[in-house]
Amino acid sequence: NLANPNIRPSFAHSLEAGIDLQFFNNRFGIDFTYYKQNNKDQIIRLDVSGTSGYGSATINAGNIENKGVELTLTGSPVRLKNFSWDVVVNASRNRNMIIELGPGLSVYTHASTTYSSVTSYLNSYVGKEFGSLVGQAYKRDPATGMKLLGTNNMPLFTDATFNFGSVLPDYTGGFQNTFRAFGFELSAMIDFQSGGQFFSRSKMLSVRTGQDPLTVELNDKGKNVREPVANGGGVRVDGISDATKQPVTAYVDAQSYYNTVLGRRIYEEWIFDASYIKLREVRLGYNFAKNKLGRLPFNNVGIALIARNPAMIWQKAPKGLDPTEISSGSQPISWYESGTANTVRSYGVNLVINF
């Protein structure tokens, strides 16, 4: 990396406004916040020509606008002497726009991943949202949107410049209920995400290697797709012939289709919606007040059973791919999944003693 002695500090210019209201003797509350921040002159590494003797150079560049809203609603639908029910609901929407990257720059690559000479990228483009997922997609007929097929009836694909859009979610939020009765406390926390997307290398490779159920399903003739096409097997492909521009319905060899084309060349098939609703935590506890502790030198003792990640209520991605567990590592945001471990469901006991 070529060091730059003229590097300047990066600055963030921000504003925030909000309102916090409470009604009905604090039994219903609204907390709303609007924020906007511009990060300017960020310090980034920019790829340069290898003829310079360096692989990258450190520069000041960019103006990224980050703005959004956060809304939290709190309520106590029931308040009795020995029973109460409290609710907290929150939701947020955050938008990141690339206003400027630098002189002569219109795209910046945050990260990339390559398999079998095919690369996908996490890019940012001037005038677009932060974090675009870029890779190879199906070639499609402009008039119908149907897939274009080659002379062998296999789908054709673009080069690795197709922009699938931002990986950032549209909305995120959570929902928590807490019930208290006669010293017991039961709470459950649910969180959710709407929108966003990620690329799954695991799903792609499981199909390419024939380990995914997709590769042994029955086609519309009732035959296993692995059976020879001449015997009624094969994968049904519908599209438009790139040569004749006429509609085509054909059956192709499953191994060639999954191993050579879909499992290697067309990344569009392995980009999944990251929307989900997840039961994040359940907690059941009991609180021993001082009058129940006799001569013990404690003011209060609380004990609780806790379950974390007990259930995924709903997700748009295929089962086995948990969009909440995609690791970004050193990358700025999560966009790529490869061999991610299954979600860990944990159980524990929490003991709190106050003297």
Side-chain angles (χ1 to χ4, degrees):
N1 179 65
L2 177 62
N4 185 350
N6 299 315
I7 284 293
R8 303 182 303 276
S10 175
F11 287 96
H13 305 266
S14 64
L15 65 87
E16 182 174 310
I19 187 169
D20 187 356
L21 303 174
Q22 295 291 326
F23 303 94
F24 309 114
N25 196 25
N26 294 328
R27 292 188 61 173
F28 177 68
I30 301 174
D31 186 348
F32 176 81
T33 302
Y34 169 83
Y35 59 88
K36 178 182 177 182
Q37 178 171 302
N38 285 78
N39 297 297
K40 298 182 178 181
D41 286 337
Q42 296 190 90
I43 301 172
I44 64 173
R45 283 192 175 189
L46 183 68
D47 292 338
V48 297
S49 172
T51 59
S52 66
Y54 295 90
S56 61
T58 302
I59 65 170
N60 285 104
N63 178 2
I64 300 178
E65 182 181 83
N66 175 31
K67 62 182 179 180
V69 293
E70 298 177 353
L71 175 66
T72 300
L73 303 178
T74 59
S76 299
V78 180
R79 279 187 186 174
L80 302 175
K81 181 179 180 180
N82 292 312
F83 178 76
S84 67
W85 172 25
D86 296 317
V87 180
V88 179
V89 181
N90 65 80
S92 64
R93 177 176 172 83
N94 182 70
R95 298 290 89 185
N96 286 271
M97 184 67 67
I98 308 301
I99 306 299
E100 179 187 353
L101 281 175
L105 291 178
S106 60
V107 58
Y108 178 74
T109 298
H110 300 279
S112 64
T113 176
T114 301
Y115 172 78
S116 193
S117 302
V118 180
T119 303
S120 59
Y121 304 88
L122 180 67
N123 288 345
S124 283
Y125 299 91
V126 173
K128 295 185 178 181
E129 285 191 81
F130 179 88
S132 293
L133 206 165
V134 177
Q136 293 187 172
Y138 289 107
K139 279 189 176 181
R140 297 184 181 273
D141 176 56
T144 64
M146 295 181 68
K147 302 169 187 174
L148 288 176
L149 307 179
T151 54
N152 59 356
N153 293 323
M154 290 292 185
L156 300 178
F157 46 87
T158 67
D159 57 16
T161 59
F162 188 88
N163 189 346
F164 296 104
S166 176
V167 299
L168 298 178
D170 297 320
Y171 301 94
T172 59
F175 179 55
Q176 181 168 355
N177 281 286
T178 303
F179 302 91
R180 298 179 181 88
F182 302 101
F184 287 95
E185 180 177 303
L186 174 65
S187 65
M189 182 170 63
I190 294 172
D191 61 18
F192 70 87
Q193 175 173 301
S194 175
Q197 56 185 344
F198 65 96
F199 166 59
S200 175
R201 177 84 70 200
S202 300
K203 185 69 173 178
M204 185 186 82
L205 291 183
S206 68
V207 170
R208 187 184 185 200
T209 56
Q211 300 180 63
D212 193 275
L214 183 68
T215 64
V216 292
E217 66 180 5
L218 301 181
N219 61 22
D220 60 334
K221 298 178 181 179
K223 297 286 188 177
N224 192 298
V225 294
R226 295 194 182 193
E227 292 291 323
V229 174
N231 295 340
V235 180
R236 175 172 169 163
V237 178
D238 297 294
I240 300 292
S241 170
D242 189 42
T244 67
K245 308 304 180 185
Q246 297 299 312
V248 173
T249 295
Y251 293 83
V252 297
D253 176 69
Q255 184 174 6
S256 298
Y257 181 73
Y258 290 125
N259 183 276
T260 307
V261 181
L262 236 62
R264 183 181 178 189
R265 298 293 183 189
I266 303 178
Y267 280 26
E268 178 180 348
E269 196 71 33
W270 317 117
I271 295 175
F272 300 107
D273 193 309
S275 301
Y276 68 86
I277 302 173
K278 187 171 191 176
L279 180 59
R280 183 66 70 176
E281 182 177 291
V282 177
R283 177 188 181 100
L284 176 61
Y286 186 79
N287 184 61
F288 295 90
K290 186 173 180 60
N291 60 1
K292 297 181 180 179
L293 298 175
R295 296 184 178 181
L296 293 175
F298 310 132
N299 289 328
N300 181 277
V301 174
I303 187 170
L305 303 176
I306 304 172
R308 295 187 175 90
N309 295 319
M312 176 67 80
I313 299 172
W314 171 84
Q315 67 179 61
K316 209 162 186 177
K319 186 178 180 181
L321 300 176
D322 189 341
T324 70
E325 299 294 327
I326 300 173
S327 175
S328 61
S330 61
Q331 298 168 14
I333 48 178
S334 300
W335 68 286
Y336 164 66
E337 178 277 329
S338 181
T340 302
N342 290 331
T343 303
V344 176
R345 183 183 295 117
S346 63
Y347 304 92
V349 178
N350 180 255
L351 178 65
V352 177
I353 300 176
N354 295 316
F355 293 90

